[in-house]
Structure formats: structure tokens, C-alpha cells
Amino acid sequence: MPSLYVLKGQDYGTYFDIDEGTVALGRDASNQIRLHDTEVSRRHAEMQFDGESCTIADLESSNGTYVNAQRIEEATVLRTGDKLQLGGTVMLFTSATDKTPDDLSDKVDIITSRELTGDSSRIVRSMSQHEGSNLLNLDFESDAASPWLARARSNLQIMYRTALAVSHTLDIDQLLDRIMQLIFEWVEADRGCIMLLDEQSEDLVPKVRRNRRGFDSPERLAISKTILDYVMQHNEGVLTSDAKEDKRWDHAASIVQMGIREAICVPMQGRYDVVGVIYIDTSITPQQIIQQKGQQNKFTDEHLKLMIAIAHQAALAVEDTRYYSAMMQAERLAAVGQTIAMLSHHIKNILQGISGGGYLIENGLQKHDEDTVRKGWTMVEKNQGKISTLVMDMLTFSKEREPDPVPSDLNQVVGEVVELVEAKAAEQGVAVEYHPAENIPTLTFDPEGIHRAVLNIASNAVDACEDRSDGRPPGKVIISTQYDAGSGIANVIVEDNGTGISEEDLAKIFTIFVSTKRGKGTGLGLPVSQKILKEHGGDIHVTSRIGEGSRFTLELPAVPSGTLADAGPMAETGERQRP
């Protein structure tokens, strides 16, 4: 489903899903998407989602509706990554699904050499990516005869390296530091700074500051507000050289007072907005300017053009990084919302069970009916067990933990699980058989973790055999253990003759909150069991057929007692010894 994530404004961080049909946006509480922004009209805009595409239209609002910084006059189709602005609120749009590309399988053929007819093509030369990049480092004889060609090739090399720099990181600080480093390699600047526009305060915030090697200045870098204001307001890069002679600058402005002889300041223009500025200068005092009056300018129009191009590349990278961060935040919020919704549903059902049991207890006490009291207490105990299991599964799945391996008897641990599920199975008319292997030695593993993993699988097996309305034989669950000393593997196998799992569901049964129990399961048991096995360096393998049942094999590295090395993620270094 499409969504909006608020990047800027009073509702910053809020995530809105776009339901199919008409969705109103505005300040009034009657809107499906309510924005707490005084610059937003009561009914500001309207979105239409038909299941495939999403459009937005302005409802004659006071301040207008903008898509990618352009005011819209009619319904506009939205695409993933579009920025919507209503008043002072900026939101990121994400579509439901990206458009599936056309199937070109009938237009492109990949043929073997045997199928070639009349084509004697052969490979005459191959070249690696590294060799191809060396084109920018070759010394062409024509460079001496053509300074223009030399400069063009140099600029191409600069842009190539800039593109590489911005593509190798999603960390904005690392990105900007690398950009500034490259600028100082190419331009003879004394000082430089990159500032980004804060999306909330709309102030320029310094992110990177650098001095030329060997140029040590204890003074703070003072940047002319005159220059910054012009660059931001006009979205133009500027080259200043003795600025008092330029009509655009007031002779009393800050630039003259600072004594800067040359400076370049360029906007970081992205796809939609200016995200910041890049500033470099030669820090020369007024006395030095007088002494070096005839010196040729260091910065030229070519440097200005190059800096504008670099700033554009950097701005695109900053936008991509922010977009990626916003997408990750949106996914986290969606996951949190899903978690809360699922937990609320299951906790509500459990509380209803406890409330029902409490009612029976109260009714039985009033009538002195011991059987009713006992029945009510059984309901309370059963639901207490459910909420305990739910909490333990949530803690197990959410916490990063190392197994606590101790010498343990695998058959005994599995036997304890069998005793627990037998009572539940008897209530549902399901038989449970246990076949422990006789050759399993004492192994080193986390007994509490393995107990929980096997219990989840075994409980699911019993539940799968509950419905026998189709006349099939009574439900049966067979639990067994195996040990292979040669491969160093111990297995716990849980088989049932229940309903089985379809191939489609089989691919996602270990996904959190995905359950095949038709609303009875939490969707936590299998993911928790798999997590525990993987923490031990093992895994869970499943085979199943609809109408015939399922077989779960819990594969565990068999680490003999007293040997804690080579146990995969569970490996210890010997500091912890247990009797």
C-alpha cells in the first residue's frame, strides 16, 4: 500500500498509509490524514488511489500543494521518491509497488555458438574495469598541442572520481568529507567548508571544514553572509575576486571587512531542492592583497563550473542517502505498527479468556459450585500460560543473545517437552510418541534454548492434528532424536499427520507474525525456534505435504561434553566451565 512519511513539520516522523479510494489531507480532524500545521488549510488536498496508481490534487488551498517543489494546478500522478509539500510540512511518497518492466523475453534471444548462422564474431580484446578507468590517466601527445583537450580530460577525470566517491557510502558525514578532500586535490584553495540546510530550522549547518595542507590558521572560518544569501536566494554559484568592484556587493558588506580576495560558493542543487552549499576561498589579509596586487587570480570561470558540477553530484548523493534513511525509518515504523497490532490482538484474546475464567470462578463461588470454580481456574491457568509463552517468545526473538552451553542430556530435554505437550494433545485427541536414540552422549548446548525451540515445534504439530472432521485417522505426533558421530550432528525430529503446509506458505513460515493457524497462532513460535537453532550453529529443515502432514528436523551441532571449540556461533574460548 502507498505511504507518506513526514520529513519536515510538526508531524515529523509520522507514517501514513494510503488506503484505496479517496484520502483527504488537511488541518481539520475530519481528514484521513490530519496535519498539525497552521499553514495547511482545513481541507488542503485530496489523494486518489485506485489500487495501481496514486494521484494528488489541490483543493484550492491558501498556500498551494507542491510536488517536487513545483506547485500543482491539476491532479498529478505520484511516483516513489516524490516530495509533497503542504504548507510547512514536507512528506516523502512511496508507491505500493514499482511498475513491472515489460517482458522482453520474446524480443531478445541468447543463443549458443552452435545456433549461430553466418556470424563469425569472436572476442579480439577484453579489458577490466581497472584498465578502462586508466583512460583518464594516460598522457596523450595531443595534450601539449591542445590545452583545451588537456583541461577537458582533467575535468572528466575529476567528475569520474567524484561519481565514484559519492557511490561508495551511505554515510553523509563520510561522503562530505571525501568530497571536500577531492576538491582540495583539484583546486588550489586555502580553506573550505560544506554546509547543509537543516530541514527543520532551514539554517545552514557546517558539516565539513578543511584547510590546505601546510596552511594552519588558528582563526575560525568566517564565511560572508552576503555570499551565502545570494547563492541560496538566486540558486547560482558565485566567484568573487576583489568583491568591492562588483555591483552586486555593497562596498560596506561583510566580504570587504574580512579581506577575502577570492572565493567560490556554489549551491548543492539536488533533484528537487537546494540541500546546502560548498564554499572555498583563499584567505588573504588586506595587507597581502596590497603586496600581491599584480598576482593572477587563482580561481577562474572553469573552476566555478567545475565546482557547480561537483556540488550537484554531492547534492544528489545527499538526497539519495536521506531518502534511504527515510525509507528505513518508514519500514521500522511499519514494523513497529505491525508488531503492536499483532500483540494487541493476541493479548486481547488472552485477556478475554482470563476474564471468562474469572467470571466462572465468581459465579461458582456465589453458588458454592466447586466444579464451576475449577473450570474457571483451568481457563485462567491456560491463558496465563499463553501470555507467558507470548512474552518469552518476544524476548527471545528481540534480544541478541549468545547461547549458554552446558553439558546436557538431549534425550532428557526433549523428554521434558514430550511430557508438557502430552497433556495438551490428550485434550485434543492427539497421540504423542517419543523415540529417543540410545547412542547420544552427553552434549554441550543451551538446554533452556533448545527446550523452547522443540516445545514450539511440538506444540505446532499437535495443533496441526486437531481438526479431524474430514474422517482421517486420529492425529499422531512422533518425536524422535538422532545422533551421527561421523558428521557431528544431532537431530530432533517432529513428525505429524496433520493438515500439512502448502508450498507457498512453506516459503514464509519462518517470517515473524506469519501464521498458518487461521488466527490462533502468534506467528512467533517458528521464527523463535529457528533463531535459537541458528544461535547454536544449526538450522531447521521442513518437508510437508497438504493432507499428509509435516516433518520438522532440528539440526544441532553435536559438541561432546567438555569440548566447547568448533561449535560455530556457540563456540567458547574456555573461560566458562560448568560441572
Side-chain angles (χ1 to χ4, degrees), residues 233-262:
Q233 291 172 10
H234 294 80
N235 194 16
E236 295 178 356
V238 298
L239 164 62
T240 69
S241 179
D242 195 8
K244 62 186 178 183
E245 296 179 359
D246 193 320
K247 294 181 180 179
R248 288 174 296 182
W249 318 116
D250 186 343
H251 69 278
S254 57
I255 188 170
V256 178
Q257 297 174 14
M258 291 189 298
I260 294 175
R261 181 171 179 269
E262 295 177 359

Side-chain angles (χ1 to χ4, degrees), residues 263-557:
I264 287 180
C265 187
V266 293
M268 296 174 65
Q269 174 63 55
R271 296 177 183 85
Y272 315 122
D273 304 304
V274 176
V275 300
V277 298
I278 299 180
Y279 175 91
I280 58 174
D281 68 31
T282 55
S283 182
I284 304 175
T285 65
Q287 293 80 5
Q288 289 174 320
I289 293 176
I290 295 173
Q291 293 172 1
Q292 302 174 8
K293 185 174 181 181
Q295 183 178 352
Q296 183 180 359
N297 292 347
K298 289 185 179 180
F299 298 155
T300 65
D301 285 353
E302 188 172 338
H303 289 109
L304 179 59
K305 293 176 182 177
L306 186 62
M307 287 295 296
I308 290 174
I310 292 172
H312 179 57
Q313 287 289 323
L316 294 177
V318 169
E319 282 188 336
D320 288 343
T321 302
R322 286 177 172 173
Y323 172 68
Y324 175 79
S325 299
M327 289 292 291
M328 291 296 293
Q329 176 70 359
E331 289 181 6
R332 291 191 195 101
L333 290 173
V336 169
Q338 182 188 26
T339 301
I340 292 174
M342 292 296 295
L343 290 179
S344 298
H345 171 73
H346 294 301
I347 292 173
K348 180 192 70 174
N349 291 340
I350 292 171
L351 290 176
Q352 286 177 344
I354 293 176
S355 178
Y359 172 79
L360 289 177
I361 292 173
E362 182 180 3
N363 191 42
L365 290 174
Q366 290 177 350
K367 298 179 178 180
H368 304 285
D369 186 343
E370 185 175 336
D371 290 339
T372 302
V373 172
R374 186 177 294 107
K375 184 177 180 181
W377 179 244
T378 301
M379 289 180 61
V380 171
E381 281 189 320
K382 183 177 180 180
N383 284 281
Q384 282 179 337
K386 286 182 179 181
I387 200 165
S388 175
T389 300
L390 176 64
V391 171
M392 290 302 299
D393 281 344
M394 282 298 299
L395 289 174
T396 302
F397 187 82
S398 62
K399 284 173 34 177
E400 290 296 333
R401 61 181 292 274
E402 289 292 330
D404 186 14
V406 296
S408 305
D409 185 339
L410 182 61
N411 284 337
Q412 179 181 344
V413 171
V414 176
E416 292 172 354
V417 172
V418 172
E419 291 179 4
L420 288 175
V421 300
E422 278 180 333
K424 176 181 179 181
E427 293 178 2
Q428 300 178 7
V430 178
V432 178
E433 296 181 7
Y434 179 38
H435 305 291
E438 297 180 355
N439 64 333
I440 300 183
T442 300
L443 303 177
T444 303
F445 58 91
D446 183 348
E448 182 180 342
I450 295 301
H451 181 280
R452 174 156 294 279
V454 177
L455 178 61
N456 286 337
I457 302 296
S459 297
N460 285 349
V462 172
D463 290 339
C465 298
E466 180 181 8
D467 183 11
R468 316 304 289 181
S469 57
D470 54 1
R472 288 184 297 157
K476 178 186 290 188
V477 175
I478 302 175
I479 303 174
S480 58
T481 58
Q482 294 178 348
Y483 172 66
D484 186 345
S487 61
I489 296 295
N491 292 325
V492 179
I493 302 171
V494 181
E495 302 175 86
D496 66 71
N497 63 347
T499 54
I501 306 170
S502 67
E503 289 187 13
E504 180 182 356
D505 290 336
L506 206 58
K508 54 187 179 183
I509 58 174
F510 292 108
T511 302
I512 188 169
F513 296 134
V514 172
S515 175
T516 59
K517 295 184 181 180
R518 300 181 181 88
K520 295 182 179 180
T522 63
L524 282 169
L526 291 178
V528 165
S529 296
Q530 185 186 56
K531 181 174 183 287
I532 292 172
L533 266 295
K534 288 191 173 182
E535 287 172 348
H536 282 75
D539 205 350
I540 300 179
H541 307 285
V542 188
T543 58
S544 184
R545 293 177 66 89
I546 291 292
E548 296 182 13
S550 305
R551 175 187 172 100
F552 285 74
T553 302
L554 288 72
E555 186 178 275
L556 179 69

Side-chain angles (χ1 to χ4, degrees), residues 164-234:
L164 287 180
V166 302
S167 65
H168 286 174
T169 180
L170 286 173
D171 184 283
I172 289 183
D173 292 332
Q174 291 181 1
L175 167 71
L176 299 181
D177 186 69
R178 180 59 179 152
I179 290 294
M180 184 56 74
Q181 179 184 341
L182 293 176
I183 289 173
F184 271 71
E185 290 179 10
W186 303 322
V187 182
E188 294 183 20
D190 293 326
R191 307 179 303 176
C193 179
I194 298 180
M195 293 180 285
L196 296 185
L197 196 65
D198 184 270
E199 293 184 323
Q200 299 301 314
S201 65
E202 297 187 353
D203 293 331
L204 286 170
V205 179
K207 292 294 183 180
V208 178
R209 188 269 171 85
R210 182 182 289 269
N211 288 346
R212 174 172 50 83
R213 183 176 299 176
F215 181 82
D216 296 325
S217 174
E219 298 180 0
R220 292 168 59 90
L221 176 59
I223 301 177
S224 168
K225 189 175 185 302
T226 308
I227 294 178
L228 293 178
D229 288 345
Y230 183 89
V231 170
M232 294 299 296
Q233 291 172 10
H234 294 80

Side-chain angles (χ1 to χ4, degrees), residues 75-88:
T76 302
V77 177
L78 297 175
R79 295 176 175 81
T80 294
D82 283 347
K83 283 187 178 180
L84 277 63
Q85 181 172 354
L86 284 68

